[in-house]
Structures are given as structure tokens and as C-alpha cells.
Amino acid sequence: MNPFLRIAKREIALLFNSKSSIALAILLPFISILFFNTLLSEGVARDLPVAVVDLDHTATSRNVIAQLDAAPEIKIGFYPINQQKGEELIRLGKAYGVITIPQNFEADLKSGKQVNIINQYNSNLLLAGGLEYKAFRKVIGTISAGINIEKQRKKGVSLQQALINYQPIVAENHVLSNPYTNYSYYLNTGFLTMFFQLFVMLTTIYCFGADLKYSKGNKLLIIANGSLLAIILGKVLPYTIWFLLVGIITLLSMYVWQDFPFSGSKIMVLVGLLLLILANQSLALFFISVSSSFREALTIGSGFGAVSLSFSGITFPIFGMPILLQWLSQIFPFTHFFELLLDQSQRGFPAFYSVRSIVILVILCIVPITLSWFKLKRLFLKGKFHHNI
């Protein structure tokens, strides 16, 4: 039998006989698909608990509270007796904001005075704090507009003119991608593919590292007739095919099950997915070649995979990073696949604009394995890691 086929057959048998391989290659990828698609299924956070301190207790203040509660983003769940009690709710994590309506609120409004409604919110939680602030400003702005227009109407100004007087300039916004402001469209695209590439990385390290940990490198060389290429292809290819299938299922869970928008090239995304798998497998082999133990290789691989989320631009834009970190972000395959996926799904760019990402992914497939080739050869000749842990 061909050495490549013998090793591939051996690898498939080992996959189903190893609890760790089953967990990394089969169980965890599908658990992550179910978890993230369920966690962010609503798309937009709703009914965030907010506290209101009403020091006025009038019909006008109750009307303000009712309009705040009607905003879909927030839900008035607490009515503390003073501002200090409201701040305590924020510190305890029970409320995302506390809104204080001052004393004499109604009387001051009727007398023509300007009044302040205080909004305190936790900006450490960027998403929740931002939604609370947005809802508060929208509601208070609407109430202020109503009061202003009503005053003008009492002076004999027509409704149309009153509207123009209040807001002579109207902002007209056009959202070019993700017009529904659906956080699932953006976050799931990043989280699912990040965990997917992490499982590819760790599975590859495990399937090679386990043999080297238990001093089976020489045995593999004998089976492969001394060919390192046969070893790599035989051990990697079954997982490449499997993870390509898992990746397609991951994409289907987003763009079919969850009905995410997709208006680009499906072929470019599939090519990018295959290259993401190959690039992570290539990097996994590089990490094995520079590690002195199985544990060290797993540590480096998991750290690299986890950090890639920060360098992808999903949490902080790459162009806002220092120049050194901008360059560093280019060594992560996930950075380029995430950009390609967004361009071809939500932004609807022509396929030509994703060629750069494809080219870089190809480079990241070739360079790591090229750099590690001779070290891997020596490692398999030795048969094991330097440290047997």
C-alpha cells in the first residue's frame, strides 16, 4: 500500500480511538456552532434593566418614565428612592444605568425653565452602555421636540413650520452594510470562524504531537519509507477534508439557518475557508518544530489562535493600532479570512477586492511549513520531543 494511504488510514483509526481528537475535531466545533448561534439569535440586545429615580412624582415625570420603558432597548426594572441606591445597582451589575428625574421637574417645565434629567450608565460594558445611552437620548430628544413644537403651536405657528423651526437640518443616514444593526451578523461571523480555526490548529498539533510525545516519530518514518511529505500529507489531509466539511456547515449555520445577508462570491469564501484551514495546519507544524515538548506546542498554538481575535479588527480597528501591531496583524490567517468573509457577505464587494486576502493566505500556507521543514525532519528522525511532557 502507498505510504501516504497507510498513514492516512492509521490517522483515521486514531481519530476515533482518541477522546481528545474526538473532542477537538468533532464535538467542540459543533457545540460552538450551536452555542453561538443560540447565544446571539436575537441579533440585538433588548430590555436592558435600567433604574429610574423619580424625585418629582408628577404626571409629567410618569409620562417620561413610560416613554423610556417603551424604548425596545431598555426596561425600567428598578425604582430606587435616591441616586445613591441607583448607583449601587449599577455597581452590583443589576442595572445598566440609572436615570434621575429631579424635583420640581413638571413645575420648571411649565414655567419655561430648562431642566436636566441625569443619566448615569456603565461605559465599561460598551455594548450595553452604548444601547442604554442611545435609547435615553432618543426618548429625551423626542420629548423635548414635543414640548418645543407644542409651545410654538400655542403661538399660532403651523405644525409644519414648527417642525422646521425645531429641526431646520435633517440628517439622512444610509447604512451601507448591516442596516439592521444586528450584532449577530458581525460577532457570530468573527467568533464562529475564530473558534473554528482554533480547533483546526489544536487538532493538527495534537495529531502530530501525540506521536512525538510517545516516541513514535521513527515508526512513522518507517511506514512512510523515510518521506516526511508522506507523513504530513497522510496525517493532515483527512483533517483538512473533515474541517472543510465542518467549515461549510458553520457557514450554512450563519447564512442559511440564521439567514445572515450574503451578497458576494460563494466561491471566494470557500477558497478562503480552505486556505484558512491549510494556513493553520501549516502554522501548527511550525509551532511543533520550534517547541521542545507537546505541552509547549499546544500552549503556543492555543495562545496564537486566541490572540488572533484581537488582531482581526473585530474588537478594535486595525488602522487604529500602532504601526508595529498593524504589521503584526498580517501574520494571522484569521485576520485575512475575516476581512474576506465580511467583504463577500455583508459588504457585497466584487470578488476582485478579496484577491489580496487570498494571496496572503496562500503565503501563510507556504511560509511556515517551508521554515519548519528541516526541523520537522530532524524531529521525526529523533522520534520524539526534547522534553517528554
Side-chain angles (χ1 to χ4, degrees):
M1 184 183 293
N2 187 291
F4 157 73
L5 294 176
R6 290 178 63 189
I7 292 176
K9 183 179 178 180
R10 173 182 179 273
E11 195 60 39
I12 294 170
L14 288 174
L15 167 63
F16 292 102
N17 289 322
S18 169
K19 293 181 180 179
S20 297
S21 294
I22 291 173
L24 286 171
I26 300 174
L27 295 180
L28 290 176
F30 288 105
I31 289 173
S32 70
I33 291 171
L34 291 173
F35 175 75
F36 284 110
N37 279 308
T38 304
L39 177 68
L40 299 172
S41 60
E42 293 298 321
V44 179
R46 302 290 189 190
D47 297 327
L48 299 173
V50 172
V52 170
V53 180
D54 186 2
L55 302 177
D56 194 47
H57 299 290
T58 60
T60 304
S61 67
R62 286 191 290 272
N63 178 54
V64 171
I65 293 172
Q67 292 197 48
L68 286 167
D69 196 37
E73 295 89 352
I74 60 178
K75 181 177 179 61
I76 308 302
F78 303 95
Y79 297 89
I81 58 175
N82 56 46
Q83 202 168 343
Q84 288 72 29
K85 293 291 184 181
E87 292 173 0
E88 185 177 341
L89 290 170
I90 294 179
R91 286 194 292 270
L92 292 173
K94 295 181 178 180
Y96 291 101
V98 55
I99 298 168
T100 304
I101 301 175
Q103 289 180 337
N104 303 318
F105 175 70
E106 184 179 70
D108 288 344
L109 276 179
K110 289 181 177 179
S111 64
K113 295 181 181 178
Q114 187 179 54
V115 294
N116 294 321
I117 296 180
I118 301 171
N119 178 39
Q120 296 168 281
Y121 61 96
N122 186 0
S123 64
N124 285 327
L125 303 172
L126 292 177
L127 175 57
L131 287 172
E132 192 273 352
Y133 172 72
K134 177 183 176 182
F136 171 78
R137 288 212 41 186
K138 184 177 180 180
V139 170
I140 298 305
T142 302
I143 294 172
S144 298
I147 294 171
N148 182 281
I149 291 169
E150 185 61 28
K151 286 181 178 179
Q152 294 186 63
R153 292 280 287 159
K154 288 179 180 180
K155 295 178 181 179
V157 179
S158 67
L159 177 60
Q160 185 65 31
Q161 189 58 49
L163 289 169
I164 294 172
N165 290 342
Y166 176 75
Q167 193 175 22
I169 300 175
V170 178
E172 186 174 329
N173 296 314
H174 295 272
V175 183
L176 298 179
S177 59
N178 196 1
Y180 308 105
T181 320
N182 189 313
Y183 291 94
S184 182
Y185 291 173
Y186 184 71
L187 295 177
N188 257 2
T189 302
F191 288 151
L192 278 172
T193 49
M194 191 280 287
F195 274 91
F196 169 77
Q197 59 112 31
L198 184 61
F199 296 137
V200 174
M201 173 78 70
L202 294 180
T203 301
T204 306
I205 291 175
Y206 186 86
C207 77
F208 280 89
D211 281 329
L212 292 170
K213 178 182 178 180
Y214 297 108
S215 305
K216 296 180 180 178
N218 289 326
K219 179 182 177 181
L220 284 172
L221 275 178
I222 293 171
I223 296 173
N225 295 329
S227 171
L228 179 62
L229 180 61
I231 295 175
I232 292 175
L233 290 179
K235 291 181 74 66
V236 164
L237 193 58
Y239 292 108
T240 304
I241 296 170
W242 168 248
F243 277 114
L244 182 61
L245 176 62
V246 174
I248 291 172
I249 294 172
T250 301
L251 294 174
L252 289 174
S253 76
M254 293 188 286
Y255 300 109
V256 177
W257 177 21
Q258 293 279 53
D259 198 26
F260 287 10
F262 192 100
S263 52
S265 170
K266 296 179 178 66
I267 297 298
M268 289 296 283
V269 171
L270 290 176
V271 171
L273 177 66
L274 176 60
L275 291 174
L276 176 72
I277 295 168
L278 294 173
N280 276 282
Q281 290 175 327
S282 179
L283 282 164
L285 290 170
F286 174 76
F287 295 146
I288 289 172
S289 71
V290 298
S291 300
S292 58
S293 67
F294 184 31
R295 182 185 299 172
E296 184 180 332
L298 284 173
T299 302
I300 296 173
S302 58
F304 182 89
V307 168
S308 65
L309 184 69
S310 300
F311 285 93
S312 67
I314 190 172
T315 55
F316 189 83
I318 295 175
F319 62 80
M321 298 178 184
I323 294 296
L324 179 61
L325 296 184
Q326 290 185 36
W327 280 99
L328 188 61
S329 69
Q330 302 305 302
I331 69 171
F332 295 91
F334 177 69
T335 298
H336 307 287
F337 179 74
F338 182 59
E339 181 181 4
L340 182 152
L341 190 57
L342 287 181
D343 286 348
Q344 294 304 317
S345 60
Q346 298 179 30
R347 296 169 184 156
F349 285 3
F352 173 79
Y353 287 90
S354 295
V355 170
R356 176 182 177 275
S357 297
I358 294 292
V359 170
I360 296 176
L361 284 170
V362 170
I363 293 171
L364 291 174
C365 292
I366 297 171
V367 172
I369 189 65
T370 302
L371 293 175
S372 59
W373 188 268
F374 293 107
K375 285 190 174 183
L376 284 172
K377 185 73 173 181
R378 288 196 296 269
L379 192 59
F380 277 97
L381 285 171
K382 185 180 179 182
K384 60 181 180 178
F385 284 113
H386 182 67
H387 298 296
N388 191 28
I389 57 174

